[in-house]
Amino acid sequence: MRKHIKNNVSWVGKIDWELQEFHGSDYSINNGSSQNAYLIEEEKTVLIDTVWKPHSSEFIDNL
């Protein structure tokens, strides 16, 4: 889901409620995590960050 943040900035990341571990077993996650990505649409469009490959189709849909 694409969410408008401000002016020409949108969040196009992924909230992954099923994620239980982050960076292997180094970090445990009890309530999921967000994979943040932001789209800035100016004279040139800029994408900051991306999401994990398993969520790539939803990520492309958000764009």
Side-chain angles (χ1 to χ4, degrees):
M1 159 180 21
R2 182 175 176 158
K3 293 184 180 182
H4 178 259
I5 301 295
K6 184 176 181 180
N7 299 332
N8 58 342
V9 179
S10 297
W11 179 85
V12 293
K14 166 72 177 170
I15 297 176
D16 187 355
W17 297 111
E18 297 177 16
L19 187 66
Q20 295 182 358
E21 293 183 347
F22 188 69
H23 289 278
S25 60
D26 292 342
Y27 301 100
S28 63
I29 311 238
N30 296 323
N31 298 311
S33 181
S34 64
Q35 299 166 35
N36 294 312
Y38 298 91
L39 188 65
I40 302 170
E41 298 174 284
E42 284 280 343
E43 182 178 328
K44 294 188 177 195
T45 301
V46 178
L47 175 64
I48 301 174
D49 212 348
T50 59
V51 300
W52 291 356
K53 188 173 182 175
H55 306 297
S56 61
S57 293
E58 183 177 343
F59 177 67
I60 296 301
D61 289 343
N62 290 342
L63 290 174

Coordinates of all heavy atoms in Angstrom, one line a residue:
M1 N 0.8 -1.2 0.0 CA 0.0 0.0 0.0 C 0.9 1.2 0.0 O 1.8 1.3 0.8 CB -0.9 0.0 1.2 CG -1.5 1.3 1.6 SD -2.6 1.3 3.1 CE -2.2 -0.2 4.0
R2 N 0.6 2.1 -0.9 CA 1.4 3.4 -1.0 C 0.7 4.4 -0.1 O -0.5 4.6 -0.1 CB 1.3 3.9 -2.4 CG 2.1 5.1 -2.7 CD 2.1 5.4 -4.2 NE 2.7 6.7 -4.5 CZ 3.2 7.0 -5.6 NH1 3.1 6.2 -6.6 NH2 3.8 8.2 -5.8
K3 N 1.6 5.1 0.8 CA 1.0 6.1 1.7 C 1.7 7.4 1.5 O 2.9 7.5 1.5 CB 1.3 5.6 3.1 CG 0.5 4.4 3.6 CD 0.7 4.1 5.0 CE 0.0 2.9 5.4 NZ 0.1 2.5 6.8
H4 N 0.9 8.4 1.3 CA 1.4 9.8 1.1 C 2.0 10.3 2.4 O 1.3 10.2 3.5 CB 0.3 10.7 0.6 CG 0.7 12.1 0.5 ND1 0.4 13.1 1.4 CD2 1.4 12.7 -0.5 CE1 0.9 14.2 1.0 NE2 1.5 14.0 -0.1
I5 N 3.2 10.8 2.4 CA 3.8 11.3 3.6 C 3.7 12.8 3.7 O 3.1 13.4 4.6 CB 5.3 10.9 3.7 CG1 5.5 9.4 3.6 CG2 6.0 11.5 4.9 CD1 5.0 8.7 4.8
K6 N 4.2 13.5 2.6 CA 4.2 14.9 2.6 C 4.6 15.4 1.2 O 5.5 14.9 0.6 CB 5.1 15.5 3.6 CG 5.1 17.0 3.7 CD 5.9 17.6 4.8 CE 5.8 19.1 4.9 NZ 6.6 19.6 5.9
N7 N 3.8 16.4 0.7 CA 4.1 17.0 -0.6 C 4.3 15.9 -1.7 O 3.4 15.2 -2.0 CB 5.3 17.9 -0.6 CG 5.0 19.1 0.4 OD1 3.9 19.5 0.6 ND2 6.1 19.6 0.9
N8 N 5.5 15.7 -2.1 CA 5.9 14.8 -3.2 C 6.6 13.5 -2.7 O 7.2 12.8 -3.4 CB 6.8 15.5 -4.2 CG 8.0 16.0 -3.5 OD1 8.1 16.1 -2.3 ND2 9.0 16.3 -4.3
V9 N 6.4 13.2 -1.4 CA 7.1 12.0 -0.8 C 6.0 11.0 -0.4 O 5.0 11.3 0.3 CB 7.9 12.4 0.5 CG1 8.5 11.2 1.1 CG2 8.9 13.5 0.1
S10 N 6.3 9.7 -0.8 CA 5.3 8.6 -0.5 C 6.1 7.5 0.1 O 7.3 7.2 -0.2 CB 4.6 8.1 -1.7 OG 3.8 9.1 -2.3
W11 N 5.5 6.8 1.1 CA 6.1 5.5 1.6 C 5.6 4.4 0.7 O 4.4 4.3 0.5 CB 5.7 5.3 3.1 CG 6.2 4.1 3.7 CD1 7.4 3.9 4.3 CD2 5.5 2.9 3.9 NE1 7.5 2.7 4.8 CE2 6.3 2.0 4.6 CE3 4.2 2.4 3.5 CZ2 6.0 0.7 4.9 CZ3 3.9 1.1 3.8 CH2 4.8 0.3 4.5
V12 N 6.5 3.5 0.2 CA 6.1 2.4 -0.6 C 6.7 1.1 -0.1 O 6.9 0.2 -0.9 CB 6.5 2.7 -2.1 CG1 5.7 3.8 -2.7 CG2 8.0 2.9 -2.2
G13 N 6.9 1.1 1.2 CA 7.6 -0.1 1.8 C 6.6 -1.3 2.1 O 5.6 -1.4 1.4
K14 N 6.9 -2.0 3.1 CA 6.1 -3.3 3.4 C 6.1 -3.4 4.9 O 7.2 -3.3 5.5 CB 6.8 -4.5 2.7 CG 6.4 -5.8 3.2 CD 5.0 -6.2 2.7 CE 4.6 -7.6 3.2 NZ 3.2 -7.9 2.9
I15 N 5.0 -3.7 5.4 CA 4.9 -4.1 6.8 C 4.7 -5.6 6.9 O 3.8 -6.1 6.3 CB 3.7 -3.4 7.6 CG1 3.9 -1.9 7.6 CG2 3.5 -3.9 9.0 CD1 2.7 -1.1 8.1
D16 N 5.7 -6.2 7.5 CA 5.7 -7.7 7.5 C 5.4 -8.2 8.9 O 6.3 -8.3 9.8 CB 7.1 -8.2 7.1 CG 7.2 -9.7 6.9 OD1 6.2 -10.4 7.2 OD2 8.3 -10.1 6.4
W17 N 4.1 -8.5 9.1 CA 3.7 -8.9 10.4 C 4.2 -10.3 10.8 O 4.2 -10.7 12.0 CB 2.1 -8.9 10.5 CG 1.6 -7.5 10.3 CD1 0.8 -7.1 9.3 CD2 1.7 -6.4 11.2 NE1 0.5 -5.8 9.5 CE2 1.0 -5.3 10.7 CE3 2.3 -6.3 12.5 CZ2 0.9 -4.1 11.3 CZ3 2.2 -5.0 13.1 CH2 1.5 -4.0 12.5
E18 N 4.6 -11.1 9.8 CA 5.0 -12.5 10.1 C 6.5 -12.6 10.4 O 6.9 -13.7 10.8 CB 4.6 -13.4 8.8 CG 3.1 -13.4 8.6 CD 2.8 -14.2 7.4 OE1 3.6 -14.9 6.9 OE2 1.6 -14.0 6.9
L19 N 7.3 -11.6 10.2 CA 8.7 -11.7 10.4 C 9.0 -11.9 11.9 O 8.4 -11.3 12.8 CB 9.4 -10.3 10.0 CG 10.9 -10.3 10.1 CD1 11.4 -11.3 9.0 CD2 11.4 -8.9 9.9
Q20 N 9.8 -12.9 12.2 CA 10.1 -13.3 13.6 C 11.6 -13.2 13.9 O 11.9 -13.1 15.1 CB 9.7 -14.7 13.9 CG 8.2 -14.9 13.8 CD 7.7 -16.3 14.1 OE1 8.5 -17.2 14.3 NE2 6.4 -16.5 14.0
E21 N 12.4 -13.1 12.9 CA 13.9 -12.9 13.2 C 14.4 -11.9 12.2 O 13.9 -11.8 11.0 CB 14.6 -14.3 13.0 CG 14.3 -15.3 14.0 CD 15.1 -16.5 13.9 OE1 15.8 -16.7 12.8 OE2 15.2 -17.4 14.8
F22 N 15.4 -11.2 12.6 CA 16.0 -10.1 11.8 C 17.5 -10.4 11.8 O 18.1 -10.5 12.9 CB 15.7 -8.8 12.4 CG 16.1 -7.6 11.5 CD1 15.5 -7.4 10.3 CD2 17.1 -6.8 11.9 CE1 15.8 -6.3 9.5 CE2 17.5 -5.7 11.1 CZ 16.9 -5.5 9.9
H23 N 18.1 -10.4 10.6 CA 19.6 -10.7 10.5 C 19.9 -12.1 11.1 O 20.7 -12.2 12.1 CB 20.5 -9.7 11.1 CG 20.5 -8.4 10.4 ND1 21.3 -8.2 9.3 CD2 19.8 -7.2 10.5 CE1 21.0 -7.0 8.8 NE2 20.1 -6.4 9.5
G24 N 19.2 -13.1 10.7 CA 19.4 -14.4 11.2 C 18.7 -14.5 12.6 O 17.6 -14.0 12.8
S25 N 19.4 -15.1 13.5 CA 18.8 -15.2 14.9 C 19.4 -14.2 15.8 O 19.2 -14.2 17.0 CB 19.0 -16.6 15.4 OG 20.4 -16.9 15.5
D26 N 20.1 -13.2 15.3 CA 20.7 -12.2 16.1 C 19.7 -11.3 16.8 O 19.9 -10.9 17.9 CB 21.6 -11.2 15.3 CG 22.8 -12.0 14.8 OD1 23.2 -13.0 15.3 OD2 23.5 -11.4 13.8
Y27 N 18.5 -11.0 16.1 CA 17.5 -10.2 16.7 C 16.2 -10.9 16.6 O 15.8 -11.3 15.5 CB 17.4 -8.8 16.0 CG 18.7 -8.1 16.0 CD1 19.6 -8.1 14.9 CD2 19.1 -7.3 17.1 CE1 20.7 -7.4 14.9 CE2 20.2 -6.6 17.1 CZ 21.1 -6.6 16.0 OH 22.3 -5.9 16.1
S28 N 15.4 -11.0 17.7 CA 14.1 -11.5 17.6 C 13.1 -10.4 17.5 O 13.3 -9.3 18.0 CB 13.8 -12.4 18.9 OG 13.8 -11.6 20.0
I29 N 12.0 -10.7 16.8 CA 11.0 -9.7 16.5 C 9.6 -10.3 16.9 O 9.3 -11.3 16.4 CB 10.9 -9.3 15.0 CG1 12.3 -9.0 14.5 CG2 9.9 -8.3 14.7 CD1 12.6 -7.8 13.9
N30 N 9.0 -9.7 17.9 CA 7.7 -10.2 18.4 C 6.5 -9.8 17.6 O 5.5 -10.5 17.6 CB 7.5 -9.9 19.9 CG 8.6 -10.5 20.7 OD1 9.1 -11.6 20.4 ND2 9.1 -9.8 21.7
N31 N 6.5 -8.6 17.1 CA 5.3 -8.0 16.4 C 5.6 -7.6 15.0 O 5.0 -6.6 14.5 CB 4.8 -6.8 17.2 CG 4.4 -7.2 18.6 OD1 3.7 -8.1 18.8 ND2 5.0 -6.4 19.6
G32 N 6.4 -8.3 14.3 CA 6.7 -8.0 12.9 C 7.6 -6.8 12.8 O 8.1 -6.2 13.7
S33 N 7.8 -6.3 11.5 CA 8.7 -5.2 11.3 C 8.3 -4.5 10.0 O 7.6 -5.1 9.2 CB 10.1 -5.7 11.2 OG 11.0 -4.6 10.9
S34 N 8.8 -3.3 9.8 CA 8.5 -2.6 8.5 C 9.8 -2.6 7.7 O 10.9 -2.6 8.2 CB 8.0 -1.2 8.8 OG 9.0 -0.4 9.4
Q35 N 9.6 -2.7 6.4 CA 10.7 -2.5 5.5 C 10.5 -1.2 4.7 O 9.6 -1.1 3.9 CB 10.8 -3.7 4.5 CG 11.0 -5.0 5.3 CD 10.7 -6.2 4.4 OE1 10.9 -6.2 3.2 NE2 10.1 -7.3 5.0
N36 N 11.2 -0.2 5.1 CA 10.9 1.2 4.7 C 11.5 1.5 3.3 O 12.7 1.1 3.1 CB 11.4 2.2 5.7 CG 10.6 2.1 7.0 OD1 9.4 2.0 7.0 ND2 11.3 2.0 8.1
A37 N 10.7 2.1 2.5 CA 11.2 2.6 1.2 C 10.3 3.8 0.9 O 9.1 3.9 1.1 CB 10.9 1.5 0.1
Y38 N 11.0 4.8 0.4 CA 10.4 6.1 0.1 C 10.6 6.5 -1.4 O 11.6 6.3 -1.9 CB 10.9 7.2 1.0 CG 10.7 6.9 2.5 CD1 11.6 6.2 3.2 CD2 9.5 7.3 3.1 CE1 11.4 5.8 4.5 CE2 9.3 6.9 4.4 CZ 10.2 6.2 5.1 OH 10.0 5.9 6.4
L39 N 9.5 7.1 -1.9 CA 9.5 7.5 -3.3 C 9.4 9.1 -3.3 O 8.4 9.6 -2.7 CB 8.4 6.9 -4.1 CG 8.4 7.2 -5.6 CD1 9.6 6.5 -6.3 CD2 7.1 6.6 -6.2
I40 N 10.4 9.7 -3.9 CA 10.3 11.2 -4.0 C 10.2 11.6 -5.5 O 11.0 11.2 -6.3 CB 11.6 11.8 -3.4 CG1 11.8 11.4 -2.0 CG2 11.6 13.3 -3.5 CD1 13.2 11.7 -1.4
E41 N 9.1 12.2 -5.7 CA 8.8 12.6 -7.1 C 8.9 14.1 -7.4 O 8.1 14.9 -7.0 CB 7.3 12.1 -7.5 CG 7.2 10.6 -7.3 CD 5.8 10.1 -7.5 OE1 5.0 10.3 -6.6 OE2 5.5 9.6 -8.6
E42 N 10.1 14.4 -8.0 CA 10.4 15.8 -8.3 C 10.7 15.9 -9.8 O 10.1 15.1 -10.5 CB 11.7 16.2 -7.5 CG 11.5 16.5 -6.1 CD 11.0 17.9 -5.8 OE1 11.0 18.7 -6.7 OE2 10.4 18.1 -4.7
E43 N 11.6 16.8 -10.2 CA 12.0 16.8 -11.6 C 12.5 15.4 -12.0 O 12.2 15.0 -13.1 CB 13.0 17.9 -11.8 CG 13.5 18.1 -13.2 CD 14.5 19.1 -13.3 OE1 14.5 20.1 -12.6 OE2 15.4 19.0 -14.2
K44 N 13.2 14.8 -11.1 CA 13.7 13.4 -11.3 C 13.1 12.6 -10.1 O 13.0 13.1 -9.0 CB 15.2 13.3 -11.3 CG 15.8 14.0 -12.5 CD 17.3 13.7 -12.6 CE 17.8 14.4 -13.9 NZ 19.1 13.9 -14.2
T45 N 12.7 11.4 -10.4 CA 12.1 10.6 -9.4 C 13.2 9.8 -8.7 O 14.1 9.2 -9.3 CB 11.1 9.6 -10.0 OG1 10.1 10.4 -10.6 CG2 10.4 8.7 -8.9
V46 N 13.1 9.7 -7.4 CA 14.2 9.0 -6.6 C 13.5 8.0 -5.7 O 12.5 8.3 -5.0 CB 14.9 10.0 -5.7 CG1 16.0 9.3 -4.8 CG2 15.6 11.1 -6.5
L47 N 14.0 6.8 -5.7 CA 13.6 5.7 -4.7 C 14.7 5.5 -3.7 O 15.8 5.3 -4.0 CB 13.4 4.4 -5.5 CG 13.0 3.2 -4.7 CD1 11.7 3.4 -4.0 CD2 13.0 2.0 -5.5
I48 N 14.3 5.6 -2.4 CA 15.3 5.4 -1.3 C 14.9 4.1 -0.7 O 13.9 3.9 -0.1 CB 15.2 6.6 -0.3 CG1 15.5 7.9 -1.0 CG2 16.1 6.3 0.8 CD1 15.3 9.1 -0.1
D49 N 15.9 3.2 -0.9 CA 15.8 1.8 -0.3 C 14.8 0.9 -1.1 O 14.1 1.4 -2.0 CB 15.4 1.9 1.2 CG 16.0 0.7 2.0 OD1 16.5 -0.2 1.4 OD2 15.9 0.8 3.2
T50 N 14.7 -0.3 -0.7 CA 13.8 -1.2 -1.3 C 13.4 -2.3 -0.2 O 13.8 -2.2 0.9 CB 14.4 -2.0 -2.5 OG1 15.6 -2.7 -2.0 CG2 14.8 -1.1 -3.6
V51 N 12.6 -3.2 -0.6 CA 12.1 -4.2 0.3 C 12.8 -5.6 0.0 O 13.4 -5.7 -1.0 CB 10.6 -4.4 0.3 CG1 9.9 -3.1 0.7 CG2 10.0 -4.8 -1.0
W52 N 12.6 -6.6 0.8 CA 13.1 -7.9 0.6 C 12.5 -8.5 -0.7 O 11.4 -8.3 -1.0 CB 12.9 -8.8 1.8 CG 13.7 -8.4 3.0 CD1 14.6 -7.4 3.1 CD2 13.6 -9.0 4.3 NE1 15.1 -7.3 4.4 CE2 14.5 -8.3 5.1 CE3 12.9 -10.1 4.8 CZ2 14.7 -8.7 6.4 CZ3 13.1 -10.4 6.1 CH2 14.0 -9.7 6.9
K53 N 13.3 -9.4 -1.3 CA 12.9 -10.0 -2.6 C 11.5 -10.7 -2.4 O 10.7 -10.7 -3.3 CB 14.0 -10.9 -3.1 CG 13.6 -11.5 -4.4 CD 14.8 -12.3 -5.0 CE 14.4 -12.7 -6.4 NZ 15.5 -13.4 -7.1
P54 N 11.2 -11.4 -1.3 CA 9.9 -12.1 -1.3 C 8.7 -11.2 -1.4 O 7.6 -11.6 -1.7 CB 9.9 -12.8 0.1 CG 11.4 -12.9 0.5 CD 12.1 -11.7 -0.2
H55 N 8.9 -9.9 -1.2 CA 7.9 -8.9 -1.2 C 8.0 -8.0 -2.5 O 7.3 -7.0 -2.6 CB 7.9 -8.0 0.0 CG 7.8 -8.8 1.3 ND1 6.8 -9.6 1.6 CD2 8.7 -8.9 2.3 CE1 7.0 -10.2 2.8 NE2 8.2 -9.8 3.2
S56 N 8.8 -8.4 -3.4 CA 9.1 -7.5 -4.6 C 7.8 -7.2 -5.4 O 7.7 -6.1 -5.9 CB 10.2 -8.1 -5.5 OG 9.8 -9.4 -5.9
S57 N 6.9 -8.2 -5.6 CA 5.7 -8.0 -6.4 C 4.9 -6.9 -5.8 O 4.4 -6.0 -6.5 CB 4.9 -9.2 -6.6 OG 5.7 -10.2 -7.4
E58 N 4.6 -7.0 -4.5 CA 3.8 -6.0 -3.8 C 4.5 -4.6 -3.8 O 3.9 -3.6 -4.0 CB 3.6 -6.4 -2.3 CG 2.7 -5.5 -1.6 CD 2.4 -5.9 -0.2 OE1 2.6 -7.1 0.1 OE2 1.9 -5.1 0.6
F59 N 5.8 -4.6 -3.7 CA 6.6 -3.4 -3.8 C 6.4 -2.7 -5.2 O 6.1 -1.5 -5.2 CB 8.1 -3.7 -3.6 CG 9.0 -2.6 -3.7 CD1 9.0 -1.6 -2.8 CD2 9.9 -2.5 -4.7 CE1 9.9 -0.5 -2.9 CE2 10.8 -1.5 -4.8 CZ 10.8 -0.4 -3.9
I60 N 6.5 -3.5 -6.2 CA 6.3 -2.9 -7.6 C 4.9 -2.4 -7.7 O 4.6 -1.3 -8.3 CB 6.6 -4.0 -8.7 CG1 8.1 -4.4 -8.6 CG2 6.2 -3.5 -10.0 CD1 9.1 -3.3 -8.8
D61 N 3.9 -3.1 -7.2 CA 2.5 -2.6 -7.2 C 2.4 -1.3 -6.5 O 1.6 -0.4 -6.9 CB 1.5 -3.6 -6.6 CG 1.4 -4.9 -7.4 OD1 1.7 -4.9 -8.6 OD2 0.9 -5.9 -6.8
N62 N 3.1 -1.1 -5.4 CA 3.0 0.1 -4.6 C 3.6 1.3 -5.4 O 3.1 2.4 -5.3 CB 3.8 0.0 -3.3 CG 3.1 -0.9 -2.3 OD1 1.9 -1.2 -2.4 ND2 3.9 -1.3 -1.3
L63 N 4.6 1.0 -6.2 CA 5.2 2.1 -7.0 C 4.2 2.5 -8.1 O 4.1 3.7 -8.4 CB 6.5 1.6 -7.7 CG 7.6 1.4 -6.8 CD1 8.8 0.8 -7.6 CD2 8.1 2.7 -6.2

